[in-house]
């Protein structure tokens, strides 16, 4: 049986709830199966598409008229053409949520009529973030509806009470059937609605199980339409799978206006919020939160947080100013090099890309003459952040050399630059912003590539063309 199709059981026990509901579809709704590869339509599910022969590509969908039809079968006209400058944008200005870091990522807040998908692993804090955001909107007089499809209304109320976010404008309902959700929208007439989660909501017209591709797409489609029709801001929560994709695949990302991803290490309090798609602004802002007893608190000064536990005078520790979107962050890169008898020495990279670690080790051996043959190498970015950009290469290389030699580098040193295979250093973008952040936090010397542009005040800049030069500069007094 395909993952998407769970027989008729779901249908027979759900259809009872549709009868009284005033939805746009009626007896004419018919389900068909469509191939995700070639678009062919068939009446019965099969493991392989008869047209293009792709395996497992047929997904159930409802065949129905999407808009009220005029007698000729043409949909009713939805808009009037007008000069672009006369299009009214007033009603579409964002609604701030009072959760500063969320508003920063959304560049103002939730836009009426827009749909935002909030993705993240289970337990990362999506429901908490939503509850806090809705409470902020409610406190500003917006009518908010929280549809909880996973937890009971009691559970959500208790959490809201604990977070101190009870508000008369915040409405709550526990429901999972899409027709009911649409009905609740009519009853409450909210300015903002949150559905937690889209994978738990189902449409009884489809026989697929909740959370399947067909269900998720169908429910999201309806909610997107309702959102546009009512000019209400909608937030859909979506759980992500282990490999980072939004379960109920990427089809959702095309449907919505904004895709937010909420990340973090389960065992660290730090949470990162990013927009991976945003139709109302850039996707460059990073929001930082700390999960604590009182819910999520914004972290305005993340660099200070990451460096708070740093111990000066330890070999193998170098601070790198990295950029996440527009936000400069100072992170501590740590390395530990120990003798080993293992035939294949260990190489571990936490918070760093293991490919970049391998590259930096190879360049150090070949171009700088450092040797790690008989050593286990452990590297970490402290604080639970993940650094993916090559700007941290130089700091990593210096940390490895320092760890290997046992000589600590001066504690007020930062390093940023990309290491090339020839042992050359390449500049990374926005060096000045990175160094300004380092200077703000009290760092006094920076090692950067020779080509890096003129830089910030308050920090002495040393330039190196090659990694070997940088190693010498960094250990100079
Ligand atoms: P939750 O918002 O339920 O996560 P999601 O909706 O993404 O699955 O939050 C999950 C975790 O957050 C939970 O394990 C407990 C923790 N938490 C706190 O530490 N403090 C708090 O104030 C709250 C509400 C939750
Ligand atoms: Mg949740």
């Amino acid at each position: 049986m395909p993952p998407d199709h769970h027989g008729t059981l779901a249908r027979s026990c759900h259809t009872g709830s549709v009868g009284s509901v005033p939805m746009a579809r009626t007896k004419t709704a018919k389900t068909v199966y469509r191939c995700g590869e070639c678009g062919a339509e068939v009446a019965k599910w099969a493991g392989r598409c008869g047209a293009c022969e792709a395996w497992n590509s047929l997904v159930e969908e409802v065949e129905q008229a999407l808009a009220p039809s005029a007698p000729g079968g043409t949909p009713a006209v939805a808009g009037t053409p007008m000069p672009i400058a006369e299009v009214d944008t007033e009603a579409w200005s964002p609604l701030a949520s009072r959760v500063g870091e969320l508003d920063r990522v959304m560049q103002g807040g939730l836009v009426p009529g827009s749909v935002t998908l909030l993705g993240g692993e289970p337990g990362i804090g999506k429901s908490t973030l939503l509850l806090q955001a809705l409470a902020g909107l409610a406190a500003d007089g917006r009518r908010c509806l929280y549809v909880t499809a996973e937890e009971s209304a009691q559970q959500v109320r208790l959490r809201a009470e604990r977070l101190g976010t009870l508000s008369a404008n915040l409405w709550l309902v526990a429901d999972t059937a899409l027709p009911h959700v649409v009905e609740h929208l009519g009853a409450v007439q909210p300015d903002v609605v949150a559905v937690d989660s889209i994978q738990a909501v189902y449409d009884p017209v489809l026989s697929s199980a909740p959370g399947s591709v067909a269900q998720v797409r169908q429910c999201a489609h309806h909610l997107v339409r309702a959102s546009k029709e009512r000019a209400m801001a909608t937030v859909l929560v979506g759980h992500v799978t282990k490999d980072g994709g939004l379960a109920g695949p990427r089809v959702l990302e095309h449907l919505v206006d904004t895709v937010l991803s909420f990340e973090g290490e389960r065992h660290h309090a730090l949470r990162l919020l990013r927009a991976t798609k945003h139709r109302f602004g850039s996707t460059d802002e990073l929001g930082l939160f700390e999960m604590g007893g009182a819910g999520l608190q914004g972290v305005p000064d993340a660099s200070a947080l990451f460096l708070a536990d740093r111990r000066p005078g330890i070999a193998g520790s170098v601070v790198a100013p990295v950029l996440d979107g527009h936000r400069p962050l100072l992170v501590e890169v740590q390395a530990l090099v120990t003798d080993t008898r293992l035939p294949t020495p260990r190489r571990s990279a936490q918070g760093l890309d293991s490919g970049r670690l391998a590259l930096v080790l190879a360049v150090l051996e070949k171009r700088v003459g450092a040797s790690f043959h008989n050593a286990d190498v452990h590297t970490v970015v402290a604080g639970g952040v993940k650094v993916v950009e090559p700007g941290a290469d130089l700091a990593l290389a210096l940390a490895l050399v320092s760890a290997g030699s046992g000589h600590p580098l001066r504690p007020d040193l930062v390093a940023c630059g990309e290491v090339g295979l020839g042992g050359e250093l390449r500049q990374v973008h926005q060096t000045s912003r990175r160094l300004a952040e380092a200077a703000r936090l009290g760092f006094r010397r920076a090692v950067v590539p020779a080509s890096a542009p003129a830089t910030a005040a308050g920090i002495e800049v040393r330039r190196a063309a090659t990694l070997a030069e940088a190693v010498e500069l960094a250990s100079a007094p």
Side-chain angles (χ1 to χ4, degrees):
M1 185 171 287
D4 215 77
H5 186 266
H6 294 251
T8 50
L9 185 63
R11 169 180 279 174
S12 55
C13 49
H14 295 327
T15 30
S17 54
V18 224
S20 63
V21 174
M23 292 214 47
R25 70 176 103 90
T26 46
K27 305 158 235 158
T28 54
K30 186 182 113 196
T31 67
V32 294
Y33 294 85
R34 191 175 301 281
C35 173
E37 301 289 331
C38 71
E41 185 186 304
V42 288
K44 262 184 84 177
W45 191 86
R48 193 173 194 186
C49 171
C52 70
E53 308 199 326
W55 286 100
N56 236 342
S57 62
L58 293 178
V59 171
E60 187 185 21
E61 89 182 14
V62 178
E63 205 185 36
Q64 61 189 342
L66 291 186
S69 290
T74 323
V77 174
T80 324
M82 61 174 80
I84 190 167
E86 285 171 29
V87 175
D88 183 21
T89 53
E90 196 77 341
W92 299 80
S93 46
L95 313 173
S97 69
R98 292 195 184 185
V99 177
E101 296 290 300
L102 173 66
D103 294 341
R104 169 211 281 264
V105 174
M106 297 289 293
Q107 269 137 60
L110 298 169
V111 174
S114 76
V115 181
T116 302
L117 179 65
L118 174 62
E121 284 180 20
I124 208 75
K126 301 180 294 295
S127 304
T128 309
L129 178 64
L130 262 190
L131 200 54
Q132 289 181 227
L134 289 191
L137 286 155
D140 281 341
R142 314 284 177 195
R143 234 170 137 77
C144 300
L145 174 63
Y146 187 121
V147 180
T148 167
E150 289 180 356
E151 294 168 291
S152 68
Q154 288 73 16
Q155 276 173 306
V156 177
R157 190 219 145 120
L158 284 175
R159 177 185 293 159
E161 228 168 63
R162 219 157 41 74
L163 296 173
T165 55
L166 289 187
S167 157
N169 273 325
L170 176 50
W171 292 68
L172 176 63
V173 64
D175 219 321
T176 50
L178 177 73
H180 295 176
V181 173
V182 174
E183 206 175 8
H184 301 319
L185 293 179
V188 177
Q189 301 276 341
D191 298 310
V192 182
V193 64
V195 178
D196 186 0
S197 69
I198 188 69
Q199 279 116 339
V201 178
Y202 71 91
D203 187 341
V205 167
L206 296 180
S207 60
S208 319
S212 61
V213 180
Q215 284 286 6
V216 166
R217 187 161 64 182
Q218 169 82 357
C219 294
H221 247 302
H222 267 267
L223 292 167
V224 168
R225 213 162 65 226
S227 172
K228 306 279 178 230
E229 279 166 13
R230 296 173 181 276
M232 80 191 166
T234 302
V235 184
L236 307 176
V237 168
H239 295 296
V240 299
T241 51
K242 283 241 161 50
D243 56 14
L246 278 161
R250 307 202 80 97
V251 337
L252 274 193
E253 300 190 1
H254 302 301
L255 285 180
V256 301
D257 301 295
T258 302
V259 179
L260 296 179
S261 118
F262 204 34
E263 306 157 16
E265 292 268 338
R266 195 76 87 87
H267 305 291
H268 277 102
L270 189 75
R271 300 285 180 271
L272 296 89
L273 184 70
R274 288 195 179 85
T276 53
K277 166 183 177 180
H278 193 32
R279 285 190 180 147
F280 307 100
S282 84
T283 51
D284 284 337
E285 292 295 343
L286 168 72
L288 288 162
F289 296 91
E290 228 179 331
M291 178 64 95
L296 292 158
Q297 299 288 329
V299 180
D301 193 351
S303 300
L305 177 83
F306 293 146
L307 299 178
D309 297 325
R310 184 172 184 228
R311 287 180 56 209
I314 304 266
S317 158
V318 178
V319 170
V322 296
L323 270 192
D324 199 316
H326 279 321
R327 200 160 174 168
L329 292 177
L330 261 61
V331 295
E332 181 187 2
V333 181
Q334 291 184 313
L336 187 65
V337 175
T338 53
D339 291 342
T340 185
R341 296 221 167 106
L342 292 176
T344 315
R346 284 184 72 89
R347 303 284 181 250
S348 105
Q350 279 184 47
L352 287 160
D353 180 32
S354 53
R356 298 228 64 97
L357 170 62
L359 183 150
V360 168
L361 282 172
V363 174
L364 280 173
E365 300 226 353
K366 192 81 184 171
R367 312 283 178 200
V368 183
S371 168
F372 298 92
H373 288 318
N374 303 318
D376 284 339
V377 172
H378 296 268
T379 54
V380 168
V381 171
V385 265
K386 229 184 163 71
V387 177
V388 284
E389 64 148 346
D393 283 0
L394 181 55
L396 175 61
L398 296 179
L400 285 166
V401 171
S402 160
S405 67
H407 295 304
L409 299 178
R410 40 188 291 171
D412 60 351
L413 176 98
V414 294
C416 76
E418 180 179 349
V419 171
L421 289 181
E424 79 281 12
L425 292 184
R426 298 165 186 271
Q427 60 166 304
V428 285
H429 64 296
Q430 306 219 31
T431 307
S432 335
R433 286 193 63 187
R434 298 171 194 246
L435 297 190
E437 175 76 354
R440 184 180 75 78
L441 281 148
F443 289 85
R444 290 292 159 254
R445 183 180 290 179
V447 179
V448 299
S451 61
T455 44
I459 188 161
E460 179 199 346
V461 177
R462 299 270 176 109
R463 293 162 187 279
T466 63
L467 184 52
E469 265 179 63
V471 168
E472 270 194 29
L473 279 182
S475 37

